[in-house]
């Protein structure tokens, strides 16, 4: 019983406060919150073992949301709309300025493919002009020419 109360404490702290009347959705959000808190507890233990300072739970949750391309965060996955536009409203403009990709996404080695952009942009590494963009790190321009491979340098740890 005491263990259950202890486990509920961090879940209650930043619970997904989504107003829903459906009882099964409440269970769903509770399970989701428990999973995040459990992940954070494992992460915290891992940090202590390697003498690192763990990030607080709120920051941990925010970084997960950011990595998943939650709206209002810099990252966006293809196919998931950035704005919740409704009919009649003009679509929200996507910022043209390159936004920083979270480092865990940048180095995850998943789905990062070179794509051709319309215009020349400044390379994130060497600042030279290039039309190559990363398909996953949206808006990030990187050189991919025989002389230099900034695309590889950017994604390698
Ligand atoms: Zn470059
Ligand atoms: Zn990338």
């Amino acid at each position: 019983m005491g263990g259950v109360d202890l486990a509920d404490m961090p879940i209650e702290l930043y619970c997904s406060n989504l107003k829903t009347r459906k009882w099964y959705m409440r269970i769903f959000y509770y399970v989701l919150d428990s999973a995040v808190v459990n992940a954070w507890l494992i992460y915290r233990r891992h940090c202590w073992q390697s003498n690192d300072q763990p990030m607080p739970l709120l920051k941990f949750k925010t970084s997960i949301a950011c990595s998943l391309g939650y709206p209002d965060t810099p990252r966006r996955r293809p196919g998931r709309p950035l704005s919740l536009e409704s009919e009649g409203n003009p679509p929200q403009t996507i910022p043209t300025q390159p936004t920083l990709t979270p480092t865990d996404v940048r180095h995850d080695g998943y789905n990062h493919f070179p794509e051709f952009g319309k215009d020349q942009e400044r390379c994130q590494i060497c600042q030279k002009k290039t039309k190559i963009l990363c398909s996953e790190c949206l808006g990030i321009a990187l050189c991919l020419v025989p002389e230099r491979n900034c695309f590889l340098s950017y994604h390698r740890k």
Side-chain angles (χ1 to χ4, degrees), residues 123-128 130 141-144 148-151:
C123 169
Q124 191 75 10
I125 302 279
C126 69
Q127 303 300 314
K128 292 197 170 94
T130 177
L142 296 154
C143 305
L144 189 58
R148 58 187 182 281
N149 191 341
C150 296
F151 194 89

Side-chain angles (χ1 to χ4, degrees), residues 112 134 136-137 154-155:
H112 297 265
C134 176
E136 192 69 357
C137 308
Y154 182 78
H155 292 103

Side-chain angles (χ1 to χ4, degrees), residues 38-80:
N38 284 338
W40 177 70
L41 291 170
I42 294 166
Y43 153 81
R44 200 176 58 163
R45 189 196 289 165
H46 182 81
C47 284
W48 283 340
Q49 281 168 353
S50 53
N51 285 324
D52 284 336
Q53 185 67 35
M55 61 175 106
L57 179 57
L58 184 61
K59 203 174 169 199
F60 184 78
K61 279 190 135 182
T62 312
S63 74
I64 292 173
C66 191
S67 299
L68 293 171
Y70 188 76
D72 301 323
T73 56
R75 200 174 131 66
R76 186 177 72 96
R77 279 189 182 272
R80 196 175 295 182

Side-chain angles (χ1 to χ4, degrees), residues 6-45:
L6 205 65
D8 280 346
M9 197 271 281
I11 297 169
E12 291 293 318
L13 203 57
Y14 304 115
C15 66
S16 305
N17 195 15
L18 298 155
K19 300 270 181 287
T20 177
R21 282 195 187 147
K22 301 273 189 285
W23 62 269
Y24 50 84
M25 286 312 284
R26 285 186 195 187
I27 292 174
F28 173 76
Y29 288 126
Y30 181 82
V31 169
L32 206 65
D33 279 331
S34 310
V36 171
V37 167
N38 284 338
W40 177 70
L41 291 170
I42 294 166
Y43 153 81
R44 200 176 58 163
R45 189 196 289 165

